[in-house]
Amino acid sequence: MNTGAPALDGEVRLIQTPVEQLKELRRHGEETLVGYDAATGEIFIDRSESGIIPAESFAAVHAAPLEVTPEGEIKLHIFVDAASVELFANDGLRTITDQIFPDAESLGLELFAEGGTAAVDLDIWKLSTEDEKEQAPRSCVGTDGNDLLTPWEGAKGALQFDGLGGNDVIVGSAGLDRIEGGAGDDVLRASRGSDWISGGQGNDLIAAGGGALDNVQGGAGADVFLFAAETRDGHRDRTVIGDFKTGIDAIDLGEAEVVSHKSLLGSLVLTLGGGGDQIVLTGVARYDDSLFL
């Protein structure tokens, strides 16, 4: 985007709807704004009316400072897919990434300037993989509020979830994922892949054990590790909890039971009935009832 002069207020406005419905959409208020505010000298993504708003804090404007060139120009490189918007300004000097939940038929695009004029040199192209299928985004980042983060359609693993602040609910995909709860009392649900899970701060509920090898860090706080639904899936899985705090953290086995336990290389290994899943408690030497709810 070329603002023409550094004092002009230029914006790129993305409306998630077919072009012929733009007037209707303005009335219903579903839109994502991406642009540059000359008054503040900032690029921004405004997702406050972007579609489904899972929490009040999700309706936010995220901004970053950006200086225009001596010629009064800025360059915005914008990537949009079904569930996210990525903004790269001046060849990556500043970046902003946001998740959005627009209607599936929201496909329109509008450009405008307020309080001035802007000369625009615009290229639009379709992103695709080599086989021409749409590629799902790889990261899903929450806000400082309470977020619900789940895999999007087409996701096949190798995803990263970060809840940041708030009491979040995060559900991983069927593949290998990295799940970070961040601050707050979070509910983290891994799936069938071999996942890396970190609860972060707060009293978290972490459901793991569905992958061949899950690595879990509960983090600060009193955490509960849930295995009840994962022990009878017909697979022999192993979950390593790297920071289990005896007397503070707890394991919830539900209807599962420990059929054997042993100390091995400074860790306590619990073997469960059913599929023979194992829970490894790193640094824990003693087996007793204080480990469980």
Side-chain angles (χ1 to χ4, degrees):
M1 173 180 171
N2 183 339
T3 63
L8 295 181
D9 182 11
E11 297 182 351
V12 176
R13 186 170 189 167
L14 301 178
I15 308 293
Q16 286 87 40
T17 192
V19 174
E20 64 270 15
Q21 297 181 14
L22 288 176
K23 293 183 179 179
E24 182 72 13
L25 177 42
R26 290 197 194 105
R27 186 159 61 247
H28 289 292
E30 180 172 305
E31 61 185 15
T32 300
L33 302 180
V34 181
Y36 174 75
D37 187 338
T40 62
E42 294 178 326
I43 56 169
F44 65 87
I45 297 179
D46 180 352
R47 64 178 184 184
S48 58
E49 297 180 346
S50 59
I52 297 174
I53 305 297
E56 183 178 351
S57 59
F58 187 89
V61 179
H62 299 120
L66 181 73
E67 293 185 3
V68 299
T69 67
E71 294 78 22
E73 297 180 351
I74 62 172
K75 182 187 295 184
L76 301 184
H77 207 160
I78 304 166
F79 295 90
V80 184
D81 61 25
S84 69
V85 177
E86 295 182 277
L87 171 59
F88 297 82
N90 287 0
D91 298 314
L93 181 63
R94 292 287 186 268
T95 63
I96 303 175
T97 301
D98 265 334
Q99 187 179 22
I100 55 175
F101 299 102
D103 185 272
E105 299 300 320
S106 295
L107 303 173
L109 170 67
E110 179 186 6
L111 289 81
F112 71 92
E114 290 183 344
T117 59
V120 179
D121 184 6
L122 181 65
D123 291 317
I124 301 177
W125 65 97
K126 180 180 179 180
L127 297 177
S128 64
T129 59
E130 291 182 359
D131 59 4
E132 295 301 321
K133 294 182 180 179
E134 292 185 3
Q135 183 176 7
R138 293 300 181 189
S139 63
C140 184
V141 181
T143 68
D144 289 333
N146 303 332
D147 302 310
L148 171 62
L149 307 181
T150 61
W152 36 88
E153 184 178 356
K156 298 181 179 180
L159 307 180
Q160 180 170 340
F161 299 85
D162 189 346
L164 298 181
N167 303 326
D168 306 310
V169 177
I170 303 177
V171 180
S173 73
L176 185 154
D177 299 317
R178 181 184 181 95
I179 302 174
E180 299 183 64
D185 301 335
D186 305 311
V187 177
L188 309 180
R189 176 71 165 83
S191 189
R192 292 294 301 276
S194 296
D195 302 307
W196 186 94
I197 307 106
S198 174
Q201 301 178 20
N203 304 325
D204 305 308
L205 174 63
I206 301 176
L213 178 60
D214 290 333
N215 286 279
V216 181
Q217 300 284 331
D223 304 310
V224 175
F225 302 92
L226 177 65
F227 293 89
E230 314 301 340
T231 60
R232 303 179 186 275
D233 60 3
H235 301 276
R236 186 171 183 177
D237 305 315
R238 172 175 288 190
T239 300
V240 179
I241 302 176
D243 63 346
F244 188 89
K245 303 179 290 297
T246 303
I248 299 176
D249 297 333
I251 296 172
D252 183 355
L253 294 177
E255 297 180 359
E257 61 178 351
V258 177
V259 296
S260 67
H261 59 84
K262 63 181 179 180
S263 294
L264 180 66
L265 301 176
S267 300
L268 184 63
V269 181
L270 313 178
T271 300
L272 308 182
D277 292 1
Q278 290 187 327
I279 303 171
V280 180
L281 305 180
T282 303
V284 177
R286 181 179 177 181
Y287 176 87
D288 58 39
D289 291 341
S290 67
L291 300 176
F292 307 98
L293 284 181

